[in-house]
Amino acid sequence: MRNLEENFKLAKKHDRKGQKALYDLLSAKMLAIANSYVNNLHDAEDILMNSFFICFSKIDECSEWKNFPFWLRKIVVNNSISFIRKNRNILYSDIEISELESVDDHWEDEAGDIDMDEIFSKMPDGYRLVFNLYVFEEKKHYEIAEILNISEGTSKSQLRKSKKWLTGFLKQKEDERQYAK
């Protein structure tokens, strides 16, 4: 933490070594976050670089070194969503909540040893976006709806579908492990 504090203070003075140290300290985690949204390493790298550029250009807006990783994460997430909006048409299926199938809410228990990169590379875009915002960014459905310019019902539907998809994916992986034995 001390290293983060010292380098944050240097970066606020536009010191290149402090900025490089912050980049080295946080870039791998931020790259993983960007990739979990866009599902393309090259695009995630572009988002990462753009995010750090914005971060170091506006670093005075972050007053506390303790908040810096969270502030940077917000920039990465926002840039990832902006990238997706500009570069992809994501189809969301609008269905009423009452029409949804009941999904076992114990899907989290099935996780075990899983490869999140594999999951995010195979999860449909709409599901992945809503899932990430809801689970990792702890956004409410009305916030997700506003961010993605979709209805709140679509956000709920996509989250439900992502859980169902994840349950099926994990079951398939477990079946494959059992068959391999």
Side-chain angles (χ1 to χ4, degrees):
M1 284 300 211
R2 186 158 175 76
N3 199 21
L4 177 64
E5 181 180 12
E6 290 171 6
N7 289 311
F8 175 76
K9 288 178 180 176
L10 289 172
K12 280 194 90 145
K13 296 176 184 174
H14 303 288
D15 180 275
R16 296 287 183 214
K17 288 182 181 176
Q19 292 173 342
K20 170 96 170 73
L22 288 177
Y23 177 85
D24 290 343
L25 190 65
L26 298 168
S27 62
K29 183 175 183 179
M30 297 302 144
L31 180 62
I33 291 167
N35 196 41
S36 75
Y37 280 89
V38 297
N39 192 30
N40 180 300
L41 189 56
H42 296 294
D43 292 339
E45 289 169 343
D46 290 345
I47 291 166
L48 178 72
M49 297 309 293
N50 185 44
S51 296
F52 271 99
F53 176 77
I54 291 169
C55 162
F56 293 136
S57 298
K58 298 181 176 188
I59 198 164
D60 290 332
E61 293 178 15
C62 184
S63 57
E64 294 278 330
W65 68 270
K66 293 176 187 176
N67 297 335
F68 181 75
F70 307 105
W71 181 72
L72 176 59
R73 179 188 179 101
K74 185 175 180 180
I75 292 171
V76 170
V77 169
N78 288 340
N79 279 340
S80 298
I81 292 168
S82 293
F83 176 86
I84 290 167
R85 279 186 185 149
K86 290 177 188 170
N87 295 295
R88 294 190 187 150
N89 281 331
I90 298 174
L91 299 175
Y92 299 98
S93 67
D94 258 329
I95 60 174
E96 294 299 316
I97 300 304
S98 60
E99 296 174 20
L100 292 172
E101 295 178 36
S102 177
V103 176
D104 182 4
D105 285 329
H106 299 292
W107 64 274
E108 296 96 340
D109 298 337
E110 300 176 25
D113 292 330
I114 56 174
D115 180 356
M116 293 303 288
D117 289 335
E118 180 183 11
I119 290 172
F120 288 130
S121 72
K122 294 182 177 175
M123 186 181 276
D125 291 342
Y127 297 0
R128 186 178 60 249
L129 283 172
V130 172
F131 184 86
N132 280 349
L133 289 169
Y134 188 84
V135 174
F136 298 117
E137 305 307 321
E138 300 178 347
K139 299 290 185 188
K140 305 287 184 219
H141 286 293
Y142 73 89
E143 294 171 308
I144 295 169
E146 188 175 303
I147 290 168
L148 299 178
N149 197 26
I150 59 176
S151 72
E152 195 171 331
T154 299
S155 175
K156 291 176 182 178
S157 167
Q158 294 296 298
L159 179 64
R160 179 77 59 153
K161 287 178 178 184
S162 70
K163 288 179 179 181
K164 185 175 181 180
W165 181 91
L166 186 56
T167 300
F169 179 85
L170 294 173
K171 181 168 178 14
Q172 177 186 356
K173 287 296 181 187
E174 181 60 28
D175 291 346
E176 289 171 5
R177 277 195 291 271
Q178 295 297 324
Y179 182 73
K181 289 182 178 178

